[in-house]
Amino acid sequence: MLAICSRTVYPKNLMPHLLSAVLLFILMLPDPAQGWGRTGHFITGEIAQRHLTPEAAAHVERILGETSLAVATVWMDQVRSQDAFRHTADWHWVTIPDGMRYEEAEHNPNGDVVEAFERQIAALKSGELSPEEERDAFRMVIHMIGDMHQPLHVGTGEDRGGNDVRVQWLGNRSNLHRVWDTDMIESWGLTTTQFTDALLILDEETIAAWKQGGPRDWAHESMVYRSDIYDLPENLELGWEYRNRNFHIVEKRLLQSGLRIAMVINEIYGS
Ligand SMILES: [Zn+2]
C-alpha cells in the first residue's frame, strides 16, 4: 500500500485523507506480539483467582483495588504503545530456535518475556517497590505468564511467531499467530466465566503437577507444540479440522497459565 502511494501523484488536498487511511490500515493490522487475545488472558486471570490462598487474595485486592485479576491481566497490552512503557514492547515474547535452550539463544538487547519476568519477580520479592511500582510489576508478571504459555510467543526466529504465516481462518484473512491468540478461542463462543468453568474440571493430581517450574521451563514447554502448530494444509485454509486437532493444546496452556499465575502470587503473597 505504501509502495503504491509513492509511485502515484495525488492532488494535495487528498493527502491528509490518504495518510489517515494508511494510518488506519496500520492500526488495524494484527499486533505482532499481542499474546493471548483479551479473552485468553481474562481466562487465565479467572482461573488464577480461583486458586489463590485467602492471604494472597487479600494482597491482590490491596494492589489492584477495584480491578479484577482477570481485567488486570491485559494491562500490559494496553500500555505498550504509551511513551512511558514503550521499553516493554519486546517483553511479550522470546525467540528460541529449534533445538536450543533459552540460555543458548541469542538474546534481544531490548529484553524478552523470560528475563523481564525474572526481573519483575525479583523486584516484587524485594519488598522495596512503591505502591505504583508494585502494581505495575504485578500486572506485568500476570500478563507475561500468559504470554509465555502461548506457544507462538516462543518463536523460532523465522516468522515473527507465526505473524508472517498468512492463513484463512474459517474463510477470513488471518495469520497463524492470530489463530492461536484469538481465533480458536473465540470459535467456542463462550464467555470468560463459561470457558473457565468448562476448563476447570481438573483432578487435584494434575493441578499439583502443573503448579511447578519457572519461566524458562514454561518457555521450553511452548516449543514442544511446534510440530502440531506448523502441521498446516497446503492451501493454508484453517478451520474446524485444525481447531479440533489443536484445541486441547490451547486449553492446556490456558489452564497452566492460570494455575501458575496463582502459584506465583501465592508464593510471594500467600502467607
Ligand atoms: Zn502480551
Side-chain angles (χ1 to χ4, degrees), residues 33-36 41 76-77 80 92 143 147 153:
Q34 202 180 35
W36 297 114
H41 277 293
M76 196 174 171
D77 277 337
R80 60 189 298 166
H92 298 253
H143 178 85
D147 276 357
H153 271 247

Side-chain angles (χ1 to χ4, degrees), residues 35-110:
W36 297 114
R38 192 171 302 168
T39 310
H41 277 293
F42 279 2
I43 292 165
T44 66
E46 183 80 28
I47 291 169
Q49 182 70 47
R50 300 187 194 184
H51 287 86
L52 295 177
T53 65
E55 294 83 3
H59 277 282
V60 169
E61 227 180 296
R62 169 183 63 78
I63 295 167
L64 297 179
E66 300 283 287
T67 309
S68 71
L69 190 56
V71 169
T73 59
V74 296
W75 173 82
M76 196 174 171
D77 277 337
Q78 292 168 335
V79 298
R80 60 189 298 166
S81 51
Q82 291 175 19
D83 283 344
F85 294 97
R86 227 175 276 277
H87 63 285
T88 67
D90 288 350
W91 298 0
H92 298 253
W93 51 277
V94 61
T95 296
I96 311 178
D98 283 339
M100 279 195 193
R101 296 186 60 76
Y102 174 75
E103 296 77 17
E104 299 163 327
E106 194 181 326
H107 290 171
N108 181 341
N110 300 325

